């Protein structure tokens, strides 16, 4: 069995919150190279999306392994030290705990992990987003694994015709529910259509139960108790064979869906698919970005990456994102560009509105 772990953190932006300084990536590579030499990791790839450092690791230690999580934590700490030295913006932003305690969960960094038996051919797609929150994968995951208008394999491939099961998490309450698609899609949509509250954590093949996709559902504000930046989630998807084809997995991103995030984590904006090199959210700190690194696994080795959105067939999605971005921006501080009030509770705005309370008098 091989475990694929993606652990990420925003530990300092360059310039502002737009991108990542190369020294941080180099340090990440150095640390993981050492861990590979010691046999803890089978292989790794260090990359970034916007200002988030992404550690993609394969190993045989299983999910939630303390040594692997400590390696990620220590690496983020080492990179934070460099970020502080360079005075990068928000150095150590996601490191919300003073000391490591067994697992990065609940400590700031986000993680998605899956353990499986590697197939004869094992294509995996790692999606990474910046300037948006957990739950942003709900619509793409629904389309990939439950919508025949996106995934023709659900209709015409016998090994996918039984559908997939979705594990849905109610993030704030730490509760979960399993839905079987296609039978229960209407029930499931009632929940996952509210991505601020519910997120698809995992998808499994039916009836085999084989893991198909896992996302990070870590909510930064719930951990920190205050606004410290958006979750910037990641997603792992296995592809081909009895899973949707690579093209079926990428297809939902040809539509720049509106997600929560963008400037100060307080706005709706279009999710723009782009190459890793172009994931430098600059306009109004955005618009939110999604990148995708594709690999073939070979005995746990990560053969790749292929930069999946570095493809002109996503040009129209990028253009659509820019047009939608203009439309949203023209609302300025008004909803629905700005998030609804319930969601603004988790931003810096309540500090401002608190001051206005004393001025409030009854209407006669
Ligand atoms: C959004 C984000 C940025 C910052 C903004 C203010 O996720 O990280 O939009 O919220 O640039 O940043 P500070 O408060 O660090 O000056
Ligand atoms: Mg940041
Ligand atoms: Mg970020």
């Amino acid at each position: 069995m091989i475990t694929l772990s993606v652990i990420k953190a925003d530990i300092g932006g360059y310039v502002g919150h737009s991108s990542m300084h190369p020294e941080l990536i180099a340090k990440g590579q150095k640390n993981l190279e050492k861990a590979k030499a010691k046999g803890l990791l089978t292989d790794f790839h260090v990359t970034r999306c916007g200002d988030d450092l992404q550690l993609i690791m394969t190993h045989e230690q299983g999910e939630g392994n303390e040594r692997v999580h400590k390696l990620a934590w220590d690496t983020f700490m080492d990179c934070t030290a460099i970020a502080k030295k360079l005075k990068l913006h928000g150095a150590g932003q996601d490191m919300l705990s003073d000391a490591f305690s067994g697992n990065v969960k609940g400590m700031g960094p986000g993680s998605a992990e899956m353990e499986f038996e590697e197939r004869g051919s094992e294509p995996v797609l790692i999606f990474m987003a910046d300037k948006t929150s957990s739950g942003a994968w709900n619509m793409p995951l629904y389309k990939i694994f439950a919508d025949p208008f996106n995934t023709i394999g659900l209709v015409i491939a016998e090994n996918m015709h039984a559908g997939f099961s979705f594990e849905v998490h109610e993030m704030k309450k730490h509760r979960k529910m399993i839905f079987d698609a296609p039978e229960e899609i209407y029930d499931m949509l009632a929940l996952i259509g509210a991505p601020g509250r519910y997120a698809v954590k995992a998808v499994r093949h039916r009836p085999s139960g084989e893991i198909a996709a896992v996302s990070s559902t870590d909510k930064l504000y719930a951990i920190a108790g205050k606004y410290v930046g958006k979750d910037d989630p990641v997603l792992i998807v296995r592809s081909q064979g009895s899973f949707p084809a690579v093209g079926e997995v990428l297809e939902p991103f040809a539509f720049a869906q509106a997600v929560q995030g963008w400037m100060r984590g307080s706005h709706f904006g279009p999710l723009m698919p782009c190459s890793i090199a172009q994931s430098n959210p600059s306009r109004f700190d955005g618009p939110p970005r999604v990148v995708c690194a594709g690999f073939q696994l070979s005995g746990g080795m990560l053969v790749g990456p292929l930069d999946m959105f570095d493809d002109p067939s996503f040009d129209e999605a990028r253009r659509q994102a820019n047009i939608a971005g203009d439309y949203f921006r023209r609302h300025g501080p008004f909803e629905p560009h700005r998030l609804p009030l319930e969601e603004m509770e988790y931003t810096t705005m309540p500090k401002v509105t608190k001051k206005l309370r004393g001025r409030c008098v009854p209407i006669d």
Side-chain angles (χ1 to χ4, degrees), residues 219-275:
K219 276 268 171 222
L220 267 180
Y221 70 74
I223 300 165
K226 61 172 187 236
Y227 181 72
V228 284
K230 273 292 178 216
D231 314 321
D232 302 339
V234 291
L235 167 70
I236 307 173
V237 183
R238 293 171 77 194
S239 175
Q240 304 292 153
S242 52
F243 302 121
V246 166
E248 290 168 330
V249 177
L250 297 176
E251 180 64 11
F253 298 93
F255 165 60
Q257 64 154 327
V259 294
Q260 296 188 3
W262 208 344
M263 175 57 78
R264 297 178 188 276
S266 308
H267 294 82
F268 275 107
L271 185 62
M272 178 188 273
C274 65
S275 67

Side-chain angles (χ1 to χ4, degrees), residues 135-152:
W137 309 122
N138 285 7
M139 192 197 282
L141 283 172
Y142 176 79
K143 286 186 175 174
I144 296 165
F145 292 104
D147 179 3
F149 278 73
N150 180 90
T151 300
I152 184 62

Side-chain angles (χ1 to χ4, degrees), residues 10 17 49 51-52 93 130-131 230 232:
D10 179 341
H17 289 276
C49 176
D51 61 358
D52 289 87
Q93 176 181 296
D130 190 34
K131 305 291 180 276
K230 273 292 178 216
D232 302 339

